Amino acid sequence: MSEQANRGLEGVVVGETRTSLVDGAAGKLSYGGYRIEDLAAHASFEEVVFLLWHNRLPGAAELEALRHDIAGNASLPADLLKQVRAFPAEADPMAVLESAVAALSFHDVDAADNSLEASRRKAVRLTGQITTLCAAWIRTRQGEDPIAPHSDLSLAQNFLYMVRGVEPDETASAALNVYLVLLAEHGMNASTFTARVVTATESDIHSAVVAAIGALKGPAHGGANTAAMNMFMEIGDPCRVADWFSDEVLDKRRRIMGIGHRVYKALDPRASVLKQHARALAASTGNSKWFDIAEKLELAARAEDFFIQRRLFPNVDYYSAILLYTIDLDVDMFTPLFVMSRIAGWSAHIFEQKRNNRLIRPKVNYIGPLDLEWEPVAERPVRSTG
Ligand code: COA
């Protein structure tokens, strides 16, 4: 007897968490009780990592210890760098991350230990190593040597230093820090759920993170930031927004990337903060073209009945695309930068899952035929493949 299926598991509650509260109706988000707006204004990414992993803010010494631990463990094994150099330059950077994170597990000193304590140590290393991998890939694919991480820098500063090889510019590091803080955690999103499913089988944190990267890659999830920037580039000029919206969205029913959300039926609070930062950053460079395109398109959508009725607003990916582009990062690296941040939330959920684990195993309604007669292969009629 079939039961009513819930497509997309919408509204299904699968557990409890202390990491974050996503209030989709009110458009509010907090990590461990702290409003996202306050964290974006005041916290370093490392402070947020501590908050998510320990459910409280760190003291000064604890914060410095974690920053130092992440930066001090961010180097990549020489063998792995050699492997990464052999990847084709045109490889999808998310596939590079999937492969390289899997390979990092061979080199981890705690590889054989799947305890909670060992997973916490691995999470510290993965947080730094993923940042180093992202920077190394940007340089390697251009034929440049990767730069080793600097143990005195914050994660945001270290990334820019490892990409550019010069002391990081304060405006860019601050903007990147805000981005990392805002994307660190978001309840039971698809990639976090994936990480929990893998962890629940008693598999290891590297496997859970590789699977989560795979889930984040899709344009319905983390891939939307790259897709949004490609869309802004396709529009190309603020004066083309109205025609593009009319032709592509209203006529062809194309989706606007970076708009809409499964949970938020009000404005995503991260989008508001990112919009302010993207606007200020664009103004500081003297080139507001991309911001203007994004804002004009947002306003066109928000004035249209279709979007009003379905309560479709910009999500986190919409203005983060403008912010990352303005600090001169490659468009196809936007989703790997999402990974650089979300490793914090994934790890927090992996720890929670390990502390209170039960195999995650839902059901599905079978809708195919039953009781068919077995036919030997030689006697089967030729059928077209549907
Ligand atoms: N542009 C235009 N229409 C959109 C839309 C968008 N970005 N997002 C959703 N819609 C429409 C759908 O066509 C659908 O319309 P219908 O009622 O006429 O069928 C309705 O809104 C509901 O969409 P649905 O796909 O069922 O919602 P969902 O909760 O399953 O999907 C997203 C949520 C995020 C996958 C979806 O909004 C989307 O594809 N957004 C663009 C990609 C994106 O930004 N992803 C990052 C999310 S953080």
Side-chain angles (χ1 to χ4, degrees), residues 10 218-225 249 253-263 265 268 270 306-307 310 312 315-318 338:
E10 184 164 357
H221 191 10
N225 53 12
V249 182
R253 285 278 162 231
R254 210 169 128 182
R255 286 189 180 207
I256 303 182
M257 300 316 287
I259 285 193
H261 200 276
R262 173 60 64 81
V263 181
K265 299 304 167 200
D268 180 336
R270 302 166 300 174
F306 179 93
F307 287 79
R310 289 165 183 75
L312 300 168
N315 60 50
V316 71
D317 294 312
Y318 196 78
F338 197 155

Side-chain angles (χ1 to χ4, degrees), residues 196-215:
R196 281 208 182 230
V197 169
V198 175
T199 305
T201 68
E202 297 178 18
S203 187
D204 59 286
I205 186 168
H206 285 82
S207 302
V209 170
V210 170
I213 294 171

